[in-house]
Structures are given as C-alpha cells and as structure tokens.
Amino acid sequence: MFDQVMARITGRFGRVEPRAAARAYLLGLLSNVERKNCWQLAEQVGHSRPGPMQRLLRYARWDADAVRDDLRAYTAEHLGADGAVLVVDETGFLKKGRASAGVQRQYTGTAGRIENSQVGVFLAYATSRGRALIDRRLYLPEQSWCTDPERRHAAGIPEDIQFTTKPRLAGEMIAAALDTGITASWVTGDEAYGQDPQLRAALEARGTGYVLAVACSTRVRINSGRTAVRADTVAGRLPAAAWQRHSTGNGAKGPRYYDWAWIHIGTDCHRHLLVRRNRTTGELAFYLCWSPAEVPLAELVRVAGIRWSVEECFQAAKGQVGLDHYQVRHWTSWHRHITLAMLALAFLTALAADPAPQRPVDPLHPTCGSDPITLTVPEIRHLLAAVLTAPAVTAGRLLHWSHWRTRHQATARRSHYRRRSADKSAG
C-alpha cells in the first residue's frame, strides 16, 4: 500500500532526486524518530546530510497543491462511505522569532492562550471508516503580514496571497473538495466558523447541510421568523419534555451521552437551533443547523458529535507523523511539510480502515469477550516503524552525524553572536 501511495504522487516530481527524497521523507515521518525535522529524518533514513530533505521542502520543483489533490482523492477512495462529513478547524504551531511565514502573537487553542505562533486552517474528511486531514491553509494576519512587502518577500509569500479570514479559508477548502467530487452531505465546525453568515450562506447555496457551533448570545428568529431571541434565552424556556437523550458516538470510555433539544427557527422546516446539555454540569452548547431536506434530531446529533474528530486528527498528525515538528520559515516549505505529513496520516488511516471485517458485538454483554480491539493508527505506525526502519547504523555513522550537528550549531552560535554585537554597536 505504501508503494501505491508513492505511485499516486510520483508524477508530481519531474526529477528522480526529489522523488526519492519524498519517499524517504514519508518513510521518516512514519518512523519512530523523536523529532521529525530534516536533520533527524535524514539521519533516520541513512542520508549523510540533510541537504536532500531541505531541498525537497524549499527548492525542488514540485507542486504541493497537486500532491494535496492526490491526497484528497486517496482519502475519499479508502474512507468514502455514506454519511460523510467535512469538518473545519484550526490548530496552532508555536514558533520563536518573527521570520516564519504568518507568525505573530495570537490566540491558539494549542496553548490555550495568546502565544507567538502560526495558525493553520484545516479541512478533515470523516466517515464511519475513519477520518483524515485533506486540505490546509496557512492563515496570514492582516496587519503584521499582508501590508508588509519586505516581510512577505523574505518569507516567500506569493504576491497573489492577500488577507483572508479563517471562515473564508474554510469555505474555499470546502468548495474545492466538493468541486473535485468529494461526497459529503454535511459540514460542521466550531464557533469561529458557525458565527460567519457568509460561510453558512455559501453552504446553503450549494445545498450542503451544516451543523455549526455558535455562541450563546447568537440571536435566532422563532415564531415563524417574527421574533428575534438570544439562543440561551430560547433554551431557558424549553420544557423538560423537549429534551431527549442521545449519544454523540463512542469515546475512550464508551458512548458519550448528552441531553439534546431542537427548535425550528426561521420560516422553513429545514432550519433549527440545536442545544446540547451536559448531563453532569448542565453546561449548554448551541448549533445553527440547516439541511436541504427534513432530517431527524438523531442525524443532527450525529453530525455535531463528529466535529470532535478533527481534534483527533490533529492529535494523531502531531503525535504520530510530526505535523508540528518542522523547522522551516518559508511559505512553500510550510505547505510542503504539512502536505506530506497529512499524506502520511492518510496512509495510516487507510491501513486502519482495511483490516479484517468488524466482529458483531453482543448487545446484551458489550463489555464481555477477550478479542483485541481493531488496530489503531498509533499501533499501525509502531508496527510499520519496525518493518520500515533502516538497518542499524554503525558507530562511524553516528559520529559523522554528531560532528555534523555540532559543527552547524557552532556556526549558528557565531552568527547569533555577530548579530548581537552589531546591534549593540548600532545602539
């Protein structure tokens, strides 16, 4: 299956050298190496220096967007199933300095606070067979980047890239996926995307249903559209009979049950305010929902629950294939590393989706039995790493890499000292 993945993208590389480097890079991402940056990946796969890996990300001639298209088609081919959902979300990449494309002090859920970071907006494809990341956009802040030509040039940001809001980036990825034949009846996302009326309008124009989280202060129109009321006010007026208990799917500790209620809003029967209530704390969450046809409450609950699958994708991508391990600053390099990491994750997910058929569960004794669980992405990568790992290295090879690292670290230190001395003299 790995050879099949490589065969799918081989035509994107015009020369044999970057093609071989891409294969080695993917194998390195699937390995057990601690940090998946160019230095450690090169050492892992047996290269004598990181040059081929660095050229692959920065200077080699290949189109990361074309590989992204191959990744998207590969994911749909292996994970496609009825009831597919597209999930939009963002994740942060903590960085030092100010030279990395798009970096600035901004809020990121990765740290849970404002930090110096890059933010990427991602699109995930989730079905009953699995979930994987299929598209990405690097968010470019307006004031600190879009209006600074010198900084843009240094980071290699193309001239045609202008400021675009995160919801609009999400809309572009959704439209591209649907235009290329991805079959998905629903889109879901958190408040950052649910609060955007243009994104919701674009989905309705395409006939694509959505279940998008919104703030409690969101005003909705009830009484056949005649009265505008805050979402939390509507929820506070609901009778006890309006709440129904549904599971949003299985978590690590079993089914995740919440109490749910839905209220018709607007003037048609396809638009709802969906309210989720935590059974323990009573905390409420709100979703605006629209569908091209009437659907039951259970279907809206299912889609709302799938939103969390993108967080699982981020966790797996960062923990298993080094999505955030890169040490690059350039716009092109960021997109290339991220695309190859997404492809590595999609490959693992496809392997997990094609094991032996699911065994039926005894509804009367679901916790009984000694059969192992289905192979997970981390377990598959662990097994693959043992099979695909390069032969044991010699002491000479280890010393070669140690000398290479310390020599380049000394060069970097001298450069920093010179720069600080120059700054001190200028001051």
Side-chain angles (χ1 to χ4, degrees):
M1 287 185 69
F2 182 78
D3 288 338
Q4 292 172 6
V5 170
M6 287 307 306
R8 188 180 288 263
I9 67 171
T10 290
R12 306 302 185 182
F13 303 90
R15 296 176 57 86
V16 65
E17 294 87 355
R19 192 181 311 142
R23 181 185 180 89
Y25 201 94
L26 283 169
L27 288 174
L29 294 176
L30 294 168
S31 73
N32 283 326
V33 65
E34 181 180 2
R35 293 291 299 175
K36 295 177 171 62
N37 54 49
C38 286
W39 286 21
Q40 294 202 25
L41 292 183
E43 183 177 8
Q44 170 69 24
V45 300
H47 291 178
S48 61
R49 62 190 191 283
M53 299 291 193
Q54 293 170 335
R55 283 194 297 274
L56 174 72
L57 296 186
R58 179 67 177 86
Y59 298 108
R61 296 184 62 180
W62 62 282
D63 187 348
D65 285 347
V67 174
R68 181 272 321 274
D69 294 344
D70 294 332
L71 153 69
R72 189 165 50 201
Y74 175 83
T75 302
E77 178 182 318
H78 286 272
L79 302 184
D82 293 339
V85 179
L86 295 174
V87 191
V88 293
D89 202 2
E90 63 197 60
T91 190
F93 303 91
L94 303 183
K95 301 292 287 184
K96 296 181 180 179
R98 63 186 304 275
S100 299
V103 71
Q104 73 167 17
R105 286 189 59 79
Q106 55 192 321
Y107 178 82
T108 169
T110 302
R113 59 184 181 272
I114 294 176
E115 287 284 356
N116 203 58
S117 62
Q118 296 169 296
V119 171
V121 181
F122 288 80
L123 182 68
Y125 181 67
T127 75
S128 58
R129 294 177 55 77
R131 58 288 309 266
L133 302 171
I134 62 171
D135 206 348
R136 72 288 179 266
R137 297 285 194 280
L138 179 59
Y139 173 68
L140 197 64
E142 183 174 16
Q143 298 300 324
S144 58
W145 279 93
C146 292
T147 59
D148 190 335
E150 184 177 346
R151 198 178 188 193
R152 288 172 61 105
H153 177 75
I157 298 171
E159 292 183 1
D160 61 334
I161 300 297
Q162 302 300 323
F163 173 71
T164 308
T165 65
K166 295 172 186 176
R168 185 171 177 182
L169 291 174
E172 291 174 357
M173 291 189 291
I174 293 167
L178 296 175
D179 287 344
T180 55
I182 292 287
T183 302
S185 302
W186 295 96
V187 170
T188 186
D190 65 16
E191 289 183 21
Y193 305 94
Q195 296 289 149
D196 188 84
Q198 294 181 340
L199 177 59
R200 300 198 306 268
L203 293 174
E204 292 181 25
R206 296 190 69 109
T208 302
Y210 59 77
V211 178
L212 295 168
V214 293
C216 63
S217 58
T218 301
R219 299 183 75 82
V220 297
R221 304 197 73 86
I222 59 175
N223 298 330
S224 299
R226 294 189 297 271
T227 308
V229 187
R230 281 175 54 117
D232 52 1
T233 301
V234 175
R237 296 174 181 173
L238 292 174
W243 297 93
Q244 302 179 36
R245 186 156 298 172
H246 289 274
S247 170
T248 58
N250 292 328
K253 300 180 180 180
R256 297 171 296 181
Y257 284 104
Y258 294 90
D259 293 332
W260 299 83
W262 60 339
I263 304 98
H264 286 293
I265 57 176
T267 58
D268 60 62
C269 58
H270 303 165
R271 200 178 301 276
H272 296 86
L273 172 68
L274 179 67
V275 187
R276 186 193 72 195
R277 185 175 65 190
N278 187 295
R279 296 170 56 201
T280 303
T281 65
E283 181 182 5
L284 300 178
F286 303 88
Y287 305 82
L288 289 182
C289 310
W290 180 86
S291 59
E294 292 188 52
V295 295
L297 172 60
E299 178 67 357
L300 300 182
V301 169
R302 181 187 74 86
V303 177
I306 287 177
R307 182 172 73 86
W308 294 103
S309 62
V310 71
E311 300 293 347
E312 296 171 356
C313 286
F314 290 147
Q315 182 180 9
K318 292 180 178 181
Q320 301 299 320
V321 296
L323 185 76
D324 59 342
H325 291 189
Y326 60 88
Q327 292 178 336
V328 298
R329 295 176 174 177
H330 200 270
W331 174 273
T332 298
S333 302
W334 186 90
H335 284 86
R336 289 180 171 184
H337 169 82
I338 295 295
T339 301
L340 292 174
M342 288 165 50
L343 182 58
L345 178 63
F347 168 64
L348 293 174
T349 307
L351 284 177
D354 292 331
Q358 294 267 349
R359 293 177 292 273
V361 176
D362 182 352
L364 299 180
H365 303 89
T367 60
C368 296
S370 58
D371 290 331
I373 66 170
T374 302
L375 286 175
T376 62
V377 164
E379 182 64 20
I380 289 174
R381 191 190 64 81
H382 175 73
L383 296 172
L384 275 177
V387 174
L388 302 178
T389 297
V393 297
T394 64
R397 175 65 62 109
L398 289 173
L399 290 173
H400 163 81
W401 271 98
S402 176
H403 175 68
W404 196 95
R405 283 193 297 272
T406 55
R407 180 163 51 86
H408 279 262
Q409 287 164 352
T411 300
R413 183 170 60 182
R414 286 195 297 272
S415 297
H416 290 313
Y417 285 177
R418 279 196 221 99
R419 186 180 301 112
R420 289 190 178 184
S421 297
D423 292 343
K424 182 177 180 180
S425 300

